[in-house]
Amino acid sequence: MSKYYLSSTPLNESLVAMDSIIGKFRKDYKTDKVALVTLTDGSANSLSSIDGGELMIKLNNRYKKCEYSWRGSQGKDLTHHLLDNLKKKYQLQTIGFFLVKKYNELRYTFNVPYTKEALAKRMFTRDKFIADYNAGYDVYYYCKSDTKVSNQVFEDKDTTNKRYLKKMFMSGMKKRLNSRVLLQNFIKRIA
């Protein structure tokens, strides 16, 4: 019988693989600045032991204690340690995007004080995303997964008047505003 179990999102396994990939990328392309961006629809695989003993990971010849990630946890989970290791080793920005259908799906992953819960939910509903600066990443965006981005196609015709163009442009901008706010936040991070 196996002592350890994994679930279904291989985020941590991907971060382990990124160690050699980032090193090779920096060497091959001689880049000064690198950003690691992850996009996921779930938390990393859970890692637990049958006997409930401590879980330790060895990174750069040092052992780190890994806590279970659950709401209210004060410790650092495996994902946090792996991201921290990559940030220190390669001096890179880490940005995560977590796609969810509704705010309630964040109840076990997004740690917000109870007194701020209603405000966070309103912000997520209004902006279609919310940023978390305590998840191990430099910034971790929880994004509403059913947000649609639409673009208008403008045709250059002699019959198109200025008023019609303005109306088309403004209707397209209203639909894209939420995506634009998220994009501006993302650009600030990597610029």
Side-chain angles (χ1 to χ4, degrees), residues 18 22 25-26 31-38 90-95 138 186 189-191:
M18 290 310 299
I22 292 169
F25 181 87
R26 287 193 94 162
T31 58
D32 293 331
K33 196 172 187 179
V34 176
L36 172 68
V37 180
T38 64
Y90 297 109
Q91 294 82 43
L92 53 83
Q93 285 272 335
T94 56
I95 303 163
D138 290 311
F186 176 66
R189 280 279 164 198
I190 62 172

Side-chain angles (χ1 to χ4, degrees), residues 41 43 98-110 124 142-143 145:
D41 65 348
S43 295
F98 187 119
L99 303 178
V100 295
K101 289 182 183 175
K102 54 189 173 186
Y103 182 82
N104 290 344
E105 292 177 16
L106 300 176
R107 68 182 169 270
Y108 299 112
T109 55
F110 183 47
F124 182 80
Y142 297 103
C143 303
S145 62

Side-chain angles (χ1 to χ4, degrees), residues 53-90:
E54 285 187 350
L55 297 170
M56 304 291 282
I57 183 170
K58 187 176 182 181
L59 296 169
N60 295 328
N61 294 320
R62 299 182 88 174
Y63 284 95
K64 305 276 185 174
K65 181 180 177 185
C66 295
E67 300 287 337
Y68 300 100
S69 47
W70 53 275
R71 187 182 181 108
S73 171
Q74 299 300 314
K76 296 177 181 176
D77 65 1
L78 180 57
T79 305
H80 192 283
H81 286 300
L82 291 170
L83 287 167
D84 196 44
N85 178 61
L86 291 172
K87 286 193 282 190
K88 288 178 181 174
K89 188 171 183 179
Y90 297 109

